[in-house]
Amino acid sequence: MGMSDLYGPADEAESIATIHAALDAGVTLLDTGDFYGMGHNELLIHEALRGRKREDVEISVKFGAQRAPGGSWIGYDASPAATKTALAYTLRRLRTDYIDVYRPARLDPNVPIEETVGAIAELVEAGYVRHIGLSEVGAETLRRAAAVHPISDLQIEYSLISRGLESEVLPAARSLGIGVTAYGVLSRGLLSGHWSSNREVNAADFRGHSPRFQGENLTHNLNLVEALRAIAEAKGATVAQIAIAWVASRGSDIVPLVGARRRERLAEALGSLEVTLGPADLAAIEAAVPAGAAAGERYAAAQMAHLDSEH
Ligand SMILES: NC(=O)c1ccc[n+]([C@@H]2O[C@H](COP(=O)([O-])OP(=O)(O)OC[C@H]3O[C@@H](n4cnc5c(N)ncnc54)[C@H](OP(=O)(O)O)[C@@H]3O)[C@@H](O)[C@H]2O)c1
């Protein structure tokens, strides 16, 4: 996402080099959305995958978010017709004939989930989609969707400071055999150890509006990061590595989705694979950043309203 949108300018050559470095290191899952830069991210992935074997990579695509030419967000459309049309364009941009995991970015409040999943099921039947996923939906929507067609994966924010899924959504996913791709594992950079209160963000940067990155909330949240830093340093790791390793420790059904957009950040993130968190480490992390410790919601109010997972 950050290679095409929402986190300020990105360097295209560096983005492609980062995807190459990830694939060369054994990363197999690339996550995108057709609305990340209005097609830019899919075209970027196509470029990065030139000369690679399609079957070596799993591509997860989100659709449904509607955007105007200037980039403004103008709602969601996950109706059956929009679902099929979006996939047709996605396949062209990615120059592929199938998508591994296809999912609506949000629950469309005007379309029953059964209809959206039913439309993707037809695309599975026709061979254009391998697996059906969902994003930021709650337990009831998961159950309704899974009654129509097996759901492979739920993409949802999960980090040391975003643990809302633990009470109901994660148990429901587990009872239905649905895996989780956790996004925002670094809380969009806040939990990375590299953020500071004097970092400048431009108007198009999500973090310029996100409640957790503002004023007193930011000061409070960066204090949590310093508590984590002490634990990380004692283990010879970085804050980002501890934050990623913590999410990975939550279960083999949870895949941390890391938003590195430069090779240097990717290398740091991959270092988390070398970090093993034992019971004493987990207890220290839990004491430093207990559930609910963050100040501020994970999205601004208007965006929270679109999160079925929070209702
Ligand atoms: N389903 C959904 O609703 C949803 C929502 C958001 C994202 N996603 C998906 O999840 C992916 C990851 O999300 P995200 O990018 O917001 O999450 P993230 O991994 O929490 O944050 C990534 C940001 O953290 C900073 N960072 C600092 N150190 C890093 C390191 N060692 N490795 C990686 N990043 C580091 C980078 O910012 P700087 O480059 O500015 O330093 C980077 O852009 C996205 O690409 C997207 O595919 C899904």
Side-chain angles (χ1 to χ4, degrees):
M1 181 180 81
M3 292 176 174
S4 300
D5 220 339
L6 288 158
Y7 291 165
D11 179 275
E12 200 153 312
E14 181 60 26
S15 296
I16 289 176
T18 304
I19 295 175
H20 287 167
L23 299 174
D24 292 343
V27 169
T28 54
L29 174 69
L30 297 180
D31 183 75
T32 183
D34 59 14
F35 48 89
Y36 290 162
M38 287 79 82
H40 179 273
N41 200 249
E42 291 176 323
L43 293 168
L44 183 82
I45 289 175
H46 160 65
E47 194 57 39
L49 294 183
R50 257 180 216 277
R52 305 265 170 167
K53 278 206 213 123
R54 172 67 182 85
E55 60 271 26
D56 288 347
V57 185
E58 295 196 335
I59 305 178
S60 153
V61 181
K62 295 181 292 297
F63 70 93
Q66 305 294 296
R67 301 188 73 176
S72 57
W73 301 85
I74 52 176
Y76 291 94
D77 189 348
S79 63
T83 299
K84 291 175 185 175
T85 305
L87 182 76
Y89 284 78
T90 280
L91 292 173
R92 283 298 173 101
R93 281 187 293 262
L94 283 164
R95 301 270 198 283
T96 182
D97 50 11
Y98 71 96
I99 297 302
D100 297 275
V101 189
Y102 200 52
R103 69 181 97 226
R106 295 286 182 269
L107 178 67
D108 179 341
N110 301 313
V111 179
I113 192 63
E114 289 82 357
E115 288 185 22
T116 304
V117 171
I120 311 177
E122 287 177 31
L123 298 168
V124 172
E125 183 71 18
Y128 296 120
V129 169
R130 295 267 160 95
H131 304 284
I132 304 181
L134 292 167
S135 169
E136 287 289 359
V137 299
E140 182 55 20
T141 303
L142 276 182
R143 286 187 204 101
R144 285 172 53 181
V148 176
H149 188 279
I151 304 297
S152 296
D153 178 69
L154 169 67
Q155 187 170 116
I156 189 164
E157 185 165 359
Y158 193 16
S159 73
L160 272 164
I161 59 170
S162 297
R163 297 175 60 171
L165 78 168
E166 287 177 348
S167 55
E168 281 183 39
V169 180
L170 187 56
R174 285 184 164 151
S175 74
L176 293 162
I178 299 172
V180 167
T181 26
Y183 79 83
V185 168
L186 298 175
S187 200
R188 302 164 182 274
L190 178 59
L191 269 188
S192 69
H194 300 297
W195 201 266
S196 74
S197 50
N198 49 24
R199 166 120 173 209
E200 293 200 5
V201 286
N202 75 10
D205 196 315
F206 172 92
R207 299 167 296 196
H209 315 280
S210 167
R212 289 183 174 170
F213 285 83
Q214 313 308 318
E216 287 176 11
N217 286 351
L218 181 61
T219 307
H220 171 94
N221 295 333
L222 288 177
N223 282 337
L224 298 175
V225 174
E226 288 318 304
L228 268 187
R229 197 186 301 277
I231 295 169
E233 281 174 359
K235 277 194 79 70
T238 69
V239 178
Q241 288 167 348
I242 293 291
I244 298 167
W246 182 84
V247 171
S249 78
R250 309 307 282 175
S252 58
D253 54 347
I254 297 176
V255 178
L257 188 59
V258 178
R261 52 185 183 166
R262 288 189 276 132
R263 283 169 288 183
E264 182 197 354
R265 298 289 203 229
L266 173 73
E268 181 186 22
L270 289 169
S272 68
L273 295 168
E274 311 301 324
V275 177
T276 310
L277 300 176
D281 299 317
L282 291 170
I285 293 169
E286 188 73 40
V289 188
E297 300 274 19
R298 60 193 180 99
Y299 283 96
Q303 296 161 315
M304 284 296 276
H306 291 296
L307 299 180
D308 182 58
S309 51
E310 295 281 344
H311 297 151

